Amino acid sequence: MAFTEPAGAAAATQAPPQNIPQKIPQEVPKTTPQVPPQTGRAAGPDGILRRQAQRESAARTYARSLPIVPVRARGLTIEGADGRRYLDCLSGAGTLALGHNHPVVLEAVRGVLDSGAPLHVLDLATPVKDAFTTELFANLPPALAADARIQFCGPAGTDAVEAALKLVRTATGRSGLLAFTGAYHGMTSGALEASGGTAEGRVTRLPYPQDFRCPFGVGGPEGAELAARWTENLLDDPKGGVPLPAGLIVEPVQGEGGVNPAPDAWLRRIREITASRGIPLIADEVQTGVGRTGAFWGVDHAGVVPDVMVLSKAIGGSLPLAVIVYRSGLDVWAPGAHAGTFRGNQLAMAAGTATLAFVRENRLAERAAVLGDRMTAALRGLAAGHPCIGDVRGRGLMIGLELVDPDTGAAAPALAAAVRQECLDRGLIVELGGRHSAVVRLLPPLTLTDEQAAAVLDRLADAIPAAARRPR
């Protein structure tokens, strides 16, 4: 029709638009939304997996190594669409501090849903957010909580890393960054720059101490001392080529890097080195936070108080949430200098509050320390009879077994992949990490019982010799 036609002519000649509501309903519909017919076993797990492979990005990761279709979950257990049950020692890559669908988390989420509270609030203040920040601050290192600010970021840990890097660069007026070999901080551009696998960037790499594959070939306290001395010398050498950086970012335990715990004395030295030179220390607690390592935060083992803490995963109680907490002196941002549409996730805040409180009230960090020591000791006993286990290490319920070629001691990624598959065949979900993906990682929920821990160890102990017998 011509744009010059009168409105009446258009109305007479044009049919009304189809499928567009003529009136916006003002009340909630009385009917209950129907669940899609193809759910659970009726959908057919093979068909679901096939369609996933056809439709989803080639960048998918866990779906490749764990070809299961979860339909129900509770605590440590996942049930697949094929009816099989699995013990989940991946726990949402460390997100599920209380396991799947813990009652206190479900109750908190239902409470928000039933209250009629808004689910999306940008960065507005709400009672749900206030409860979350109050509980979080109550569990922070006291010296930080007394003078801290919090920034709600996008929903993923990598978003919080980006915010932390931007924060220290803004506050110091400097651009460089110190990070460590083997680090993993996320998949966005700035976080990737600070991670160990990048090929370029404004980041200077420092040696991260470890015993089994010490970069200086000595391990132990001597290796940690050499790593600290290297860092100090690099910063003070006028010909070192490293200007004073905006910050230094460190994981108290490197997770994706192979479950390498930072020695306490070394971490204290790093704190002294950065503090004396005015370099903000950023602790990436995305994987190590909320009791995972046997203390509420990974830095607590060393008694270190960082300038910035990057928090995600478990703080959302299984739902997406990421924040940074930092000294108020760094809070020089202008309004809107760092923002995001989905930083007001009310359901995640409620779930996070419930999780933080449950971990604190039930002393699950202490429980993780005791049970983690017991499991690590059992695995070291297993290693004594299996030369393909080169090392067992970790902290709390963050445990890794490095698989090696018994003849050469070289990392054995194919063997590790075979162990992962043998575990899956036995109903145990584990994942891999480390430089060559040769470290089998255990991240069970902090609610793990003694009986469940024994079942996990039994299945892993059965899977390792079975994998070693496979032709490769």
Side-chain angles (χ1 to χ4, degrees):
M1 76 178 194
F3 286 105
T4 53
E5 283 185 297
T13 58
Q14 188 176 21
Q18 299 298 308
N19 300 321
I20 298 179
Q22 301 303 304
K23 181 180 179 182
I24 299 175
Q26 300 300 309
E27 297 181 358
V28 177
K30 302 298 183 184
T31 57
T32 302
Q34 295 298 306
V35 177
Q38 287 194 331
T39 58
R41 300 183 189 182
D46 292 341
I48 291 173
L49 292 171
R50 184 176 64 254
R51 286 189 291 276
Q52 181 187 41
Q54 291 170 345
R55 296 168 178 169
E56 290 191 23
S57 161
R60 66 191 186 282
T61 53
Y62 300 111
R64 294 179 183 275
S65 57
L66 303 171
I68 61 177
V69 180
V71 293
R72 294 176 195 82
R74 187 65 173 252
L76 179 69
T77 304
I78 285 178
E79 182 181 341
D82 58 359
R84 291 197 64 196
R85 295 195 173 197
Y86 301 86
L87 303 181
D88 181 12
C89 278
L90 177 58
S91 296
T95 299
L96 305 170
L98 305 184
H100 294 275
N101 292 326
H102 193 280
V104 300
V105 172
L106 297 182
E107 182 182 3
V109 171
R110 288 192 189 104
V112 176
L113 293 174
D114 293 343
S115 72
L119 301 183
H120 189 291
V121 293
L122 298 173
D123 66 352
L124 301 179
T126 70
V128 173
K129 178 191 278 189
D130 184 62
F132 171 77
T133 56
T134 299
E135 181 64 36
L136 177 60
F137 274 50
N139 290 293
L140 290 174
L144 179 60
D147 183 40
R149 298 290 184 270
I150 185 170
Q151 169 74 30
F152 288 84
C153 308
T158 188
D159 302 312
V161 170
E162 295 283 350
L165 303 186
K166 183 193 289 188
L167 173 73
V168 296
R169 283 170 170 153
T170 302
T172 64
R174 305 188 291 261
S175 62
L177 189 73
L178 298 179
F180 291 92
T181 54
Y184 177 78
H185 299 292
M187 296 299 292
T188 50
S189 59
L192 277 174
E193 273 191 303
S195 299
T198 186
E200 56 186 80
R202 298 172 289 172
V203 178
T204 299
R205 303 275 170 241
L206 302 171
Y208 192 97
Q210 50 177 308
D211 291 340
F212 188 61
R213 299 197 185 278
C214 174
F216 303 103
V218 293
E222 184 181 358
E225 171 60 26
L226 289 172
R229 188 176 300 177
W230 175 277
T231 300
E232 197 167 23
N233 180 74
L234 190 66
L235 286 169
D236 294 343
D237 184 354
K239 296 292 186 181
V242 179
L244 195 66
L248 180 150
I249 185 168
V250 62
E251 298 162 274
V253 180
Q254 288 190 337
E256 303 299 326
V259 195
N260 295 308
D264 293 342
W266 171 82
L267 195 55
R268 286 191 287 268
R269 279 287 308 279
I270 292 298
R271 172 68 284 190
E272 292 169 0
I273 290 168
T274 54
S276 64
R277 291 160 179 78
I279 302 170
L281 175 63
I282 305 167
D284 183 342
E285 293 265 11
V286 169
Q287 286 198 24
T288 53
V290 195
R292 169 62 57 189
T293 67
F296 212 96
W297 310 107
V299 293
D300 289 345
H301 294 283
V304 164
V305 180
D307 300 296
V308 185
M309 291 179 70
V310 180
L311 310 176
S312 187
K313 290 191 185 292
I315 68 159
S318 77
L319 298 179
L321 186 63
V323 304
I324 56 173
V325 180
Y326 52 92
R327 287 191 302 104
S328 63
L330 296 172
D331 197 30
V332 298
W333 276 339
H338 193 78
T341 303
F342 292 102
R343 55 196 161 134
N345 190 336
Q346 298 286 279
L347 294 181
M349 291 176 194
T353 302
T355 298
L356 291 166
F358 193 88
V359 170
R360 172 179 54 80
E361 292 166 358
N362 293 276
R363 302 179 64 182
L364 293 190
E366 293 94 325
R367 164 72 177 166
V370 171
L371 190 53
D373 285 347
R374 193 182 306 159
M375 293 179 71
T376 299
L379 290 170
R380 285 177 178 153
L382 179 67
H386 296 281
C388 64
I389 304 176
D391 192 33
V392 177
R393 54 184 181 260
R395 207 156 204 177
L397 290 176
M398 193 172 182
I399 303 170
L401 297 81
E402 183 159 348
L403 279 299
V404 300
D405 183 318
D407 298 323
T408 66
L415 176 59
V419 169
R420 178 179 59 191
Q421 183 58 52
E422 292 288 347
C423 284
L424 191 65
D425 292 345
R426 288 159 176 77
L428 175 63
I429 296 174
V430 299
E431 253 300 350
L432 307 181
R435 266 68 166 183
H436 304 284
S437 296
V439 178
V440 176
R441 301 180 60 203
L442 297 177
L443 291 166
L446 309 187
T447 52
L448 189 73
T449 66
D450 290 350
E451 294 75 16
Q452 290 172 334
V456 168
L457 293 174
D458 286 345
R459 296 184 193 195
L460 183 57
D462 193 41
I464 289 172
R469 290 191 296 267
R470 282 188 175 194
R472 290 186 302 280

